[in-house]
Amino acid sequence: MENKMLVKFLMSLLVLGFCHVAVSSPEKKRTYIVHMAKSQMPASFDDHTRWYDSSLKSVSDSAELLYTYTNAIHGFSTRLTPEEAELLGNLPGIVSVLPELKYELHTTRTPEFLGLEKSADLFPESDSVSEVIVGVLDTGVWPESKSFDHTGLGPVPSNWRGECEFGTNFSSSNCNRKLIGARYFSRGYEAVLGPIDESTESKSPRDDDGHGTHTASTAAGSAVSGASLFGYASGKARGMATRARVAVYKVCWIGGCFSSDILAAIDKAIGDNVNVLSMSLGGGTSDYYRDSVAIGAFAAAEKGILVSCSAGNAGPSPYSLSNVAPWITTVGAGTLDRDFPAYVSLGNGLNISGVSLYRGDAFPNKMLPFVYAGNASNATNGNLCMIDTLIPEKVSGKIVLCDRGVSARVQKGAVVKAAGGAGMVLANTAANGEELVADAHLLPATAVGQKSGDVIKSYLFSDPNPTATILFEGTKVGIEPSPVVAAFSSRGPNSITPEILKPDVIAPGVNIIAGWSGSLGPTGLSTDMRRVGFNIISGTSMSCPHVSGLAALLKAAHPQWSPAALRSALMTTAYTQYKNGQSIQDVASGRPSTPFDHGAGHVDPAAALNPGLVYDLDVADYLGFLCALNYTSAQINMVARRNFTCDPAKKYSLTDLNYPSFSVPLQTAQSDSGSTVLKYSRTLTNVGSPGTYKVSVNLKSEAVKVSVEPKSLSFSELNEKKSYTVTFTANLMPSNTVSFGHIEWSEGTHVVRSPIAISWT
């Protein structure tokens, strides 16, 4: 998915799961994150920071501590040469010295669509919700946004330990009883790229990008009547948890998001006592002990903080997920039942449907000349409408058809406008298929799917004098089918741990309206002088804060539940079918989506409030998981911040992690007998009324037999636990064969549903 904010933001605002790359600096120094064995501090030191500094000074006279960490990890970050880093790694008490990674952001009607308006009486009283604090790691916040109005909120929760930091264009007075905390973290960023240019971005919590304000207001923004983007999606804009408090942690800048800063923010957020941590950015596909987001999330989960992360916008390719650690709630993206139609009317009488958020001078009531960009350029990639590739004489006064890809969608429109074009039709290619994402273009423009694009091209290439116009139809609701899985939403299988099914759930992530920064226009382009209070953008960056806000509502209703229990409630009550019984569709394939696309399904907040049973997990379970991965004691220490040795007498298995889903990876030649037998154990905890739950299995496969023992579980009291075992007996199948299904436990009122994904590689 192209970057909506390419000029303003070099990272991908809409491409949410993070790609990460090691970063180095010209002087051969680079940032390292140093994990320390806290228990090995020599008795001669009375403070860990002094020990860290002494260890550092023993290998480098000039090196300084960038950050010291106490909650997310035990250790510090610093700038060293590779030789100094190697020397430091050999010192006593040093667990590891790892190079910093650079992360990049992958970048309303939602409450009604999720049933929050109809189910308001089911959710807890506002007083309990207002005790919940949602922390958001992103590009900061625009505090003047109406989404952070604190009218009607009581005093700040007494357990809040955070701060409202001052900096460029930001002071403590910018916080209030809604936006209760705001911090920024730039030392790691500046150590690599030099001092922040405060004339172009604020060295403070202030959001000059828009992404952070959008995600924070989606999660927990106050209700704002009369919100819209140029009249589109007009109505009441509200976050998922309108009464929850918001704390922002700015970790992303024009040049990216650096892991030393991200770890420092998580470290502070844990100490500040947030209840939910929302990160529309993520770790890449590396081992958990090398992934700063996964490491920080482990510490947060241990403190009872639910961590919600975006799955990434690298779909629909398989194995494209980010943030796959089992202690992270991984969120993919689906659509709403709302659209913004804008039709292309061709000279041959055909009307082609598209989408747009353009609002400006309408076309005259006549057809205009129509040209394909590839025929109006001398560049080999002229069809993509890249900067300075169009010939003005060939596009002036005409509507131009551009192909999607490489550059930002809105930037293509700016290129057409600069060359004198009157309008643009943006056609998807095979990479995006029929997925339509609306944009607030700078000139009259609409986006069409690949098939429609091919029809339009056929007309352009066959008619000697092609003409067209664009008709803008405003906002339409009640679109069916909805939701569908967004094509950009990253997909499984899980490339790090195939035995853990990811994503966990999907939530609304396409054409989402929420608060915006006053520093830039809705396209994010420097040439866009328009300013808006709300913007409509797309990405798993948008679906992640939906789940963060829903988790805040659940936390208020069930304050004693663990992060794993909260996630379980969201997963086992998620839906995978429309009301007519048909399966949720995948817009990329046009076929029913699978658990590798939607995880457990689309979130259903009202059902999640009362799930009946939950799959719970604690730190001991996660330590056993790390042992099952055959991690060394040092690697476990890096993730879990403790000396822990796996019991050599105990058999650890990835299939025993008490996860609310089942992923069964199989090798095509795993057994001489022609079949493979795998056993998965699970434990359910009763969080509802007493009852006897009976199991049912639905699996569309002749190659796999599934048996569950016992077939019923009786619960007589609250928090009672009962275990069961699932046996999968699988025949040999060709590589890349997949089978999907689900296991359900029900006592007649509640349905506790877990997806099954079986794959042969």
Side-chain angles (χ1 to χ4, degrees), residues 85 167 193 301 327 555 636 660 664:
L193 297 179
W327 46 86
K555 183 69 175 177
I636 292 175
V664 187

Side-chain angles (χ1 to χ4, degrees), residues 118-414:
K118 292 180 182 178
S119 310
D121 56 331
L122 299 176
F123 286 89
E125 294 297 320
S126 60
D127 285 350
S128 59
V129 179
S130 68
E131 292 297 309
V132 178
I133 303 165
V134 180
V136 182
L137 270 68
D138 213 294
T139 64
V141 66
W142 190 260
E144 293 82 6
S145 170
K146 293 179 180 179
S147 295
F148 305 112
D149 180 15
H150 67 182
T151 301
L153 286 173
V156 171
S158 59
N159 65 334
W160 173 242
R161 298 289 180 268
E163 295 180 12
C164 196
E165 297 179 353
F166 67 90
T168 313
N169 302 318
F170 204 95
S171 69
S172 60
S173 63
N174 288 120
C175 289
N176 57 22
R177 297 191 304 276
K178 178 65 173 180
L179 178 63
I180 64 173
R183 299 182 184 270
Y184 68 99
F185 303 84
S186 61
R187 293 180 203 165
Y189 175 76
E190 291 185 294
V192 177
L193 297 179
I196 288 169
D197 180 356
E198 296 183 46
S199 68
T200 59
E201 64 177 330
S202 302
K203 189 176 178 180
S204 74
R206 182 167 291 278
D207 179 16
D208 300 306
D209 178 85
H211 192 272
T213 300
H214 199 282
T215 55
S217 57
T218 297
S222 300
V224 182
S225 298
S228 76
L229 173 65
F230 304 135
Y232 288 102
S234 61
K236 183 186 289 186
R238 50 159 288 181
M240 298 297 96
T242 57
R243 306 287 296 180
R245 316 300 178 122
V246 176
V248 299
Y249 301 83
K250 183 175 178 178
V251 296
C252 294
W253 306 84
I254 285 178
C257 325
F258 289 77
S259 57
S260 59
D261 294 329
I262 293 170
L263 266 180
I266 297 174
D267 200 73
K268 285 292 188 184
I270 294 171
D272 289 347
N273 284 337
V274 303
N275 302 108
V276 176
L277 208 48
S278 187
M279 292 190 276
S280 288
L281 48 82
T285 52
S286 62
D287 289 318
Y288 305 125
Y289 63 86
R290 293 182 178 274
D291 182 349
S292 293
V293 170
I295 291 168
F298 188 101
E302 185 175 1
K303 294 289 187 179
I305 301 167
L306 181 137
V307 180
S308 171
C309 289
S310 48
N313 291 357
S317 302
Y319 297 99
S320 54
L321 290 163
S322 295
N323 302 314
V324 296
W327 46 86
I328 290 174
T329 300
T330 311
V331 188
T335 63
L336 292 172
D337 62 342
R338 178 180 64 201
D339 215 343
F340 308 101
Y343 296 90
V344 184
S345 181
L346 301 178
N348 62 3
L350 284 178
N351 285 324
I352 308 293
S353 63
V355 296
S356 180
L357 294 169
Y358 172 75
R359 181 57 52 91
D361 293 335
F363 276 130
N365 294 320
K366 65 177 183 179
M367 307 296 281
L368 296 178
F370 195 17
V371 64
Y372 180 51
N375 294 334
S377 172
N378 292 324
T380 55
N381 61 349
N383 62 306
L384 297 175
C385 296
M386 306 288 280
I387 293 175
D388 294 331
T389 59
L390 297 180
I391 301 171
E393 293 77 14
K394 293 189 176 184
V395 302
S396 181
K398 300 178 182 179
I399 295 175
V400 181
L401 177 71
C402 302
D403 284 327
R404 185 173 169 182
V406 184
S407 63
R409 299 183 302 274
V410 290
Q411 190 179 58
K412 295 176 188 292

Side-chain angles (χ1 to χ4, degrees), residues 95 287 289 626 629-640:
V95 178
D287 289 318
Y289 63 86
L626 297 177
L629 289 173
N630 295 316
Y631 275 21
T632 65
S633 294
Q635 290 166 344
I636 292 175
N637 196 331
M638 291 163 64
V639 175

Side-chain angles (χ1 to χ4, degrees), residues 403-558:
D403 284 327
R404 185 173 169 182
V406 184
S407 63
R409 299 183 302 274
V410 290
Q411 190 179 58
K412 295 176 188 292
V415 169
V416 172
K417 184 177 182 180
M424 177 183 71
V425 176
L426 182 63
N428 281 1
T429 60
N432 302 100
E434 300 311 302
E435 175 182 70
L436 298 180
V437 179
D439 294 300
H441 293 283
L442 290 169
L443 82 171
T446 187
V448 300
Q450 180 192 9
K451 294 176 183 177
S452 296
D454 290 343
V455 170
I456 295 172
K457 288 173 188 175
S458 177
Y459 165 68
L460 275 172
F461 298 155
S462 61
D463 193 305
N465 296 296
T467 58
T469 192
I470 304 174
L471 308 171
F472 300 95
E473 297 290 321
T475 304
K476 303 290 184 184
V477 296
I479 303 297
E480 292 184 355
S482 62
V484 297
V485 178
F488 62 75
S489 187
S490 290
R491 315 301 172 98
N494 182 334
S495 62
I496 304 299
T497 315
E499 293 81 3
I500 303 298
L501 180 62
K502 292 283 184 172
D504 293 313
V505 290
I506 60 170
V510 178
N511 296 334
I512 303 301
I513 187 168
W516 195 244
S517 169
S519 286
L520 76 172
T523 64
L525 298 174
S526 59
T527 54
D528 190 351
M529 295 295 107
R530 301 169 297 176
R531 295 295 179 264
V532 296
F534 295 87
N535 199 7
I536 297 173
I537 58 176
S538 302
T540 53
S541 282
M542 283 64 255
S543 54
C544 166
H546 278 88
V547 169
S548 306
L550 296 179
L553 290 176
L554 291 182
K555 183 69 175 177
H558 304 286

